[in-house]
Amino acid sequence: MPSPPVWPAPADPAAAARLQERYAAQGPLDHAFAHGPGAPMLAAIGGGSPFLSDLAIRERATTRAVLEQGPAAIVDAAFTALATTPFDAPRATVAAALRRTRRQVALTTAIADIGSLWTLAQVTATLSRMAEDTVALAIRHLLHAAHRQGTLVLAHPSRPDDASGLIVLGMGKLGARELNYSSDIDLILLYDPDLHAPSDTLGATFTRLARDLVAMMETRDADGYVFRTDLRLRPDPAATPPCVALPAAIAYYESMGQNWERAAMTKARPIAGDIAAGHAFLAAIHPFIWRRRLDFEAIADLHAMKRRIDAHRGFSPHTMSAPVLPGLDVKLAPGGIREVEFAAQTLQLVWGGRDPTLRDPTTLGALRRLARAGHLPRRAAAELTVAYRLFRRVEHRLQMVDDRQTHALPTNEAALARFAPFLGCPTPAALATLLGTHMARVRARYAAVFEAVPDEAGAPRLDLAGPDLPLETAARLQALGFRNIEGMGATLRGWRAGRLRALRSARARELLDATLPRLLAALAAQADPDAAFARLDTMLARLPAGVPLLSMLQRNPALAPRIAAVLGAAPSLADHLASTAAALEGLLSPPEATCIPPAQILAARLADARTLEDTIAITRDLVRAEEFRLCVQQMEGTLDADEAGIHRTALADAALGALLTAVLADHARRHGTIRGGDMAVVALGKAGSGEMMAGSDLDLLLLYHVPPNAPDSTGPRRLPPSQWFIRAAHAFVAALTSPGGSQGAAGPLYEVDMRLRPSGNKGPVAVPLAGFARYQAAEAWTWERMALTRARVVAGRPAIRARAAAAIAEALLAPHDPARTRADAADMRRRLLRDRPAAGPWDMKHRDGGGMEVEFIAQVLQLTERPTPIRQNTADALAHLAATGALEAAEAATLIEADRLWRTVQSLLRITVGRAPAGLPAPAEAALLHAAARIVGRPLDRPALDATLDRAAHAVRASFNHRIGPVP
C-alpha cells in the first residue's frame, strides 16, 4: 500500500494561491481538484517552483492523474505512448512526442519527489529511463532517415538500430541511472566502420547524425525541449568529431586513456543504437577500466584532478569549517556530492579490478559493496549514504525551481527563505545546520580516502644531494643500526638518480621520497638491517615499474613494517616478493575478506575470465597473494599451523575446482564431449588432510567415469573416451604447473605429484573409476591403502564426486590382514630411515619420532581398527581413535601435540629459512619460540624448545613401536 503524500508547506503562500486559482479557472473539473484533494499539492508546487506551476497548468490532466492513479501509472503510460511513436514519422512528429514525454514525466516525477511518494532511486531511475527512451527513439529516427536518404545502408531498415554499428553510451549519472532532475545528458557516440561499405563520407554521415541528435534533444520550441546534451566525454574531444570511429576509440583508451576516463567508464552503459556493439566495445576496453592489480596510483591521479577543480572554483583544502549558505554549491563544495562520488569511484578502481563484485555504477550501490567487502568502514558508508541522499534531494529541488541545471543555493536571503520550506526545512538556519553537519562528515570521510598523511614523526629525513653522503645523514643511518653506511649511501643516491628501471619516472622518485623514511625505520628494526636493506634493493631492481608498489606503500603505511619483517626474516619470501610484488595485495585484504571462502572469492574474480588462459592467470594471482598473506601471518604469529593449513587447503580446493571446470570446457570445445563421461580430482597427502604448508605439493589422483560402450567424442576431432580423458588430464596438470610471470619467472601455480595413482609414474595420468576399484581390491600395496586414508574428492560435478567417494570408501573397507598392515608399515619406516634419513636437526618430517611417524600411526590404526568414518586429518583421526577406544586418551593427546609441533616448526622453517636448514637464524628462532609456546602453553627459550621437541619425538617413537612395530 503506497504511503500518502506529504506535501511541504508553501514557501510563498501568495504564489501558491495564484497557481490554485489559475488551475481552478480551467474548468469545473479543475476547480474541484484545485480546491479539493489537489489543493495541498498545488500549494506545494506553486509556493516553490515557477517552472512547475506553468507545467502543472499546461499538463492539467497529468497533474490530476498523478493523485488519482499514482505516479507509476502515469509514467508507464507516457513511456508506452513514446514507444508506439513510429520512428519513420516526420521529424516534427517525433520531436513533439519526445517533448511531450519529457513534460509529462518531468511533472510526474517532480510531484512524486515533492510529496515523498518516491525514493531517490525511483526518481533518478525514472529520469534516466526518460533520457534513455527519448534518445533511443531519436536514434532510430535518424538512422532510418539516413537510410532513406541513401547516406547509410542499414542491415535491418525495419529495426534501424540493430547491427547499425552506431553506439550510444550513456555516461555519468545517465549511465548509472542516477540522472538529476534538470540534468545534461553525457553521451559518447561511436560507429563501427566495418559494418558499412567503405566510403569517404561515412565519418561525415555519422558526424551529421550526432549533430542532428543534439539538435533534436536541445532545440526549444513551443513544446519545450528534451535534454541538454554533452558529447565532450568522448576520446580527445578537442581533436575528434562528435561521433568517433570504433577502432580509433579503442586505440585511444588502450594507449592514452587517463585515470579520470577509467573512472568515467565505470558508469558507461549502452543506451541506444547498436546495443550489442556497445557491450562488445566495453568488453574490449575492460582491461583499461578494471586493472587486475590493486591500483593505488589511481587515488593520487583522481585526487589531483579534484584539487584542480577545487582550485578553479576557489576552494582550498580547509574551506568551510561551517558552510556559508547563500550560494552554497551542494555538488562541488568541499563535503558535497562530488566528494561522495569520488570516494566511491576511486575505491572501486583500486579494488574492483580484482574483485568484480565491487563494480556498481551507482554511487549508493558502490558504497554498500565497498562496506560489505571491508574496503570502507560501515559507519563511513552509512554517513556518506545519508549525506548523498540529502544532497541529491536538495539538488533536485534547486533544479525544479526554474528547470535550470544548478547545484547552488540562492544567493539572497529572500530567495533562501522561499527555498528552505520547499525542501521541507522551516528556516534557512535549519537548512544550514542540516547541510553543515552532513558536509563536515563527508569532508572527513573523503579526507580519509584521499588526503590522510601518515605520521612520519621520528622517521629519518635524509639529505641525499651531492656526490657524497652528508655527515648528518650518515650519522642518522648509523644511529638506526645500519653498518654499511658508505655502500648504503651509494645505493640510496642511485635510487634518487633513477638508475633503477622502477625509479626512472619523476612520480616514482616522488613516491620514494614519501615512503623511504618509514621503510628505513622499519628495516632498522630487523635483526640484520643491512641484509634487509640489500633485499629491498634487489626487490626494487627487479620491478618493471615502481609507482604501483610505492603508491601502495604510501596509501597503506602499515605495510612498511610487514615488508621489512619479510625482508629481514624470510629470504625465500623476500625473493618471491622481488619477482612478484603483487603478492603484497594479499596483505591488504580487510578482515571481512579473510572470512569469505576462497571458492567464493575466486568465483567472483573469474567473472572477468574469457579464456582458459584468463582463468589460469586469475587463479594464480589469487593463490600467490593469499599464500604470501598466510606465510606472513604465520611468521608474525597471528595464524597457527592448523588455521593456515585449513586456509591453504581451501585455497587449493578452490583453484582445483575452477581449473578443472575451465579445462574440461576448453577441452570439450576442441574435441567435443563424451556422452555421460566426467572426471573428478582426488587430493591426497596434506592437501587431502587439510594440513597444507608453505610450498606443499599437490598429491593428486584423477578419476574418470564413462558408461559402458560409450562412443567416441562428438565434434570434428573425435577421440576414444580413454584418450579424451587422458588428454584432458594432461591439460589439467599443465594448467596447474604452467609457469607464470615474465618468462615463467614466478614459477608454477602448484607442484603436482601424481605418483600415488595406480601403477605410479608408469600408469596413465587419469584412471577409470572401474579400474581404480579393481586395482584397490586386488593389487594395492599397504602404503597405497595408507595414503588413501587421506584421500578427499575435491573437484568435479556432484555425480562423479559421489562415485569417486564411494569407490574410495569401498577400497578402505576391503578385507585385509591387520598384522600384515602393521608389519608392512614398520618395514617401510625402517627402509625410509635407511634410505632417506633426516636431512639435519631441523628435518621435522623424517627425524626419529617425527611427523611421518605420527602420520603412520594415524593411518595404520584407521586401517586396522576400522573406525568410521575415516578422518583424513591427522589430529582428527587421532582424536577419533581415542574416542572409539583404539588409543588411550593421554597417548592421543601427546601425539596430537607432537603433530602440531612438527607442522608448526616445519612450516615456519619453510617460510623463513628453507626446508632443511643447518642452523637457525635469530628471526626464525624468535618465530619458532613464539609459535611453540602457544602449543605447549608456556614461554620457551631455545634450550626449552630443544627439550620440548626431543620429548615429543621420544613419545612418538614409543607409540610407534607399541602400535605398529619396532624401529631402530
Side-chain angles (χ1 to χ4, degrees), residues 758 772-785 788 811 824:
F772 169 80
R774 287 192 300 270
Y775 178 85
Q776 292 295 333
E779 303 179 49
W781 293 49
T782 296
W783 67 267
E784 291 176 299
R785 299 184 68 248
L788 211 58
D824 286 349

Side-chain angles (χ1 to χ4, degrees), residues 104-128:
Q104 293 175 350
V105 174
L107 176 61
T108 302
T109 304
I111 294 172
D113 191 354
I114 294 169
S116 300
L117 295 168
W118 278 356
T119 64
L120 173 65
Q122 289 173 296
V123 169
T124 56
T126 301
L127 295 170
S128 301

Side-chain angles (χ1 to χ4, degrees), residues 471-649:
L471 292 177
E472 182 181 358
T473 297
R476 284 182 175 178
L477 293 174
Q478 194 165 20
L480 283 170
F482 294 100
R483 298 184 303 276
N484 183 16
I485 305 303
E486 184 177 346
M488 191 174 177
T491 299
L492 289 170
R493 288 196 301 275
W495 290 357
R496 289 291 304 276
R499 290 175 189 163
L500 299 182
R501 176 177 53 171
L503 301 175
R504 285 175 188 161
S505 72
R507 176 60 179 156
R509 294 193 296 277
E510 176 187 340
L511 288 168
L512 179 68
D513 287 343
T515 56
L516 186 59
R518 197 182 319 119
L519 265 176
L520 291 179
L523 293 173
Q526 304 310 305
D528 187 345
D530 291 274
F533 178 80
R535 292 184 189 122
L536 175 62
D537 181 47
T538 300
M539 183 176 79
L540 291 175
R542 292 185 183 178
L543 290 177
V547 170
L549 172 64
L550 294 171
S551 296
M552 194 184 300
L553 277 167
Q554 183 194 39
R555 302 305 309 182
N556 301 275
L559 269 183
R562 303 187 79 183
I563 292 175
V566 168
L567 297 174
S572 60
L573 286 186
D575 288 343
H576 175 64
L577 193 56
S579 62
T580 316
L584 281 176
E585 295 176 5
L587 301 184
L588 296 177
S589 297
E592 291 86 344
T594 61
C595 299
I596 301 173
Q600 184 178 332
I601 297 173
L602 184 56
R605 296 192 189 180
L606 288 174
D608 285 341
R610 299 291 179 267
T611 65
L612 175 59
E613 288 71 25
D614 288 345
T615 300
I616 295 171
I618 292 170
T619 303
R620 180 186 291 117
D621 287 347
L622 174 64
V623 168
R624 286 188 175 147
E626 284 296 286
E627 174 61 33
F628 187 81
R629 177 180 69 84
L630 295 172
C631 286
V632 173
Q633 286 188 292
Q634 279 190 267
M635 190 179 69
E636 293 171 335
T638 59
L639 197 68
D640 66 25
D642 288 341
E643 296 166 323
I646 291 169
H647 285 306
R648 280 196 181 90
T649 305

Side-chain angles (χ1 to χ4, degrees), residues 264-333:
M265 278 295 173
T266 63
K267 295 180 180 291
R269 178 171 61 93
I271 64 163
D274 193 335
I275 299 296
H279 286 300
F281 166 72
L282 291 178
I285 65 167
H286 186 277
F288 160 70
I289 305 170
W290 300 110
R291 295 173 180 168
R292 285 184 183 167
R293 300 294 183 206
L294 293 186
D295 189 17
F296 286 96
E297 60 263 41
I299 293 179
D301 277 2
L302 293 176
H303 185 45
M305 182 177 75
K306 175 66 166 54
R307 283 200 305 266
R308 290 193 295 270
I309 294 171
D310 288 349
H312 178 71
R313 299 190 64 85
F315 298 134
S316 72
H318 305 291
T319 299
M320 284 184 49
S321 55
V324 178
L325 201 59
L328 174 66
D329 192 317
V330 295
K331 177 179 180 180
L332 298 178

Side-chain angles (χ1 to χ4, degrees), residues 789-790 858 862 867-874 876-878 880-881:
T789 62
R790 298 205 284 182
Q862 289 199 101
T868 55
I870 291 291
R871 308 297 174 96
Q872 291 91 0
N873 181 270
T874 303
D876 288 348
L878 293 169
H880 188 48
L881 288 164

Side-chain angles (χ1 to χ4, degrees), residues 114-487:
I114 294 169
S116 300
L117 295 168
W118 278 356
T119 64
L120 173 65
Q122 289 173 296
V123 169
T124 56
T126 301
L127 295 170
S128 301
R129 182 181 173 187
M130 175 172 64
E132 187 173 344
D133 287 7
T134 53
V135 169
L137 177 58
I139 286 292
R140 286 194 291 271
H141 171 78
L142 292 169
L143 284 168
H144 185 269
H147 177 78
R148 191 175 61 244
Q149 294 161 6
T151 55
L152 283 180
V153 178
L154 297 177
H156 308 288
S158 62
R159 304 189 307 276
D161 35 15
D162 283 4
S164 65
L166 175 63
I167 298 168
V168 183
L169 297 178
M171 304 294 291
K173 287 186 168 62
L174 171 56
R177 295 185 175 91
E178 296 177 322
L179 205 60
N180 294 339
Y181 185 78
S182 182
S183 176
D184 289 359
I185 54 174
D186 293 303
L187 304 177
I188 291 179
L189 272 62
L190 310 169
Y191 72 94
D192 187 351
D194 292 341
L195 292 183
H196 298 274
S199 168
D200 293 339
T201 62
L202 187 62
T205 297
F206 279 105
T207 293
R208 185 164 54 252
L209 190 149
R211 288 174 177 154
D212 288 346
L213 173 65
V214 173
M216 288 186 72
M217 293 288 108
E218 290 191 342
T219 301
R220 292 178 180 267
D221 58 19
D223 291 328
Y225 75 108
V226 191
F227 280 100
R228 295 174 293 272
T229 305
D230 193 336
L231 304 181
R232 290 175 297 174
L233 286 181
R234 68 185 184 272
D236 198 5
T240 55
C243 189
V244 181
L246 195 59
I250 292 174
Y252 171 85
Y253 289 120
E254 288 179 343
S255 61
M256 301 172 63
Q258 306 291 308
N259 273 324
W260 72 264
E261 290 172 304
R262 293 175 56 216
M265 278 295 173
T266 63
K267 295 180 180 291
R269 178 171 61 93
I271 64 163
D274 193 335
I275 299 296
H279 286 300
F281 166 72
L282 291 178
I285 65 167
H286 186 277
F288 160 70
I289 305 170
W290 300 110
R291 295 173 180 168
R292 285 184 183 167
R293 300 294 183 206
L294 293 186
D295 189 17
F296 286 96
E297 60 263 41
I299 293 179
D301 277 2
L302 293 176
H303 185 45
M305 182 177 75
K306 175 66 166 54
R307 283 200 305 266
R308 290 193 295 270
I309 294 171
D310 288 349
H312 178 71
R313 299 190 64 85
F315 298 134
S316 72
H318 305 291
T319 299
M320 284 184 49
S321 55
V324 178
L325 201 59
L328 174 66
D329 192 317
V330 295
K331 177 179 180 180
L332 298 178
I337 292 171
R338 181 60 59 81
E339 292 194 351
V340 180
E341 294 172 338
F342 262 52
Q345 279 185 293
T346 303
L347 289 174
Q348 277 188 303
L349 285 181
V350 170
W351 296 97
R354 72 174 199 167
D355 186 355
T357 64
L358 298 177
R359 301 171 196 167
D360 189 320
T362 69
T363 301
L364 296 182
L367 292 174
R368 271 194 309 274
R369 291 171 183 248
L370 289 163
R372 191 182 305 132
H375 301 304
L376 186 66
R378 290 185 182 272
R379 183 171 178 178
E383 289 179 357
L384 293 173
T385 295
V386 171
Y388 182 78
R389 286 179 173 144
L390 169 65
F391 300 158
R392 292 299 305 274
R393 192 158 62 90
V394 174
E395 179 184 51
H396 284 181
R397 292 292 196 283
L398 288 169
Q399 294 174 356
M400 287 175 190
V401 173
D402 290 312
D403 191 26
R404 291 174 50 237
Q405 189 191 18
T406 181
H407 315 281
L409 295 175
T411 56
N412 64 75
E413 295 297 335
L416 274 174
R418 288 193 300 273
F419 177 74
F422 187 44
L423 185 65
C425 282
T427 63
L431 178 58
T433 300
L434 181 65
L435 290 177
T437 298
H438 288 286
M439 295 181 100
R441 290 174 180 168
V442 171
R443 181 101 277 272
R445 298 302 183 180
Y446 177 86
V449 173
F450 287 96
E451 296 174 354
V453 177
D455 183 8
E456 299 290 355
R461 290 290 178 180
L462 304 179
D463 178 8
L464 299 173
D468 299 314
L469 195 65
L471 292 177
E472 182 181 358
T473 297
R476 284 182 175 178
L477 293 174
Q478 194 165 20
L480 283 170
F482 294 100
R483 298 184 303 276
N484 183 16
I485 305 303
E486 184 177 346

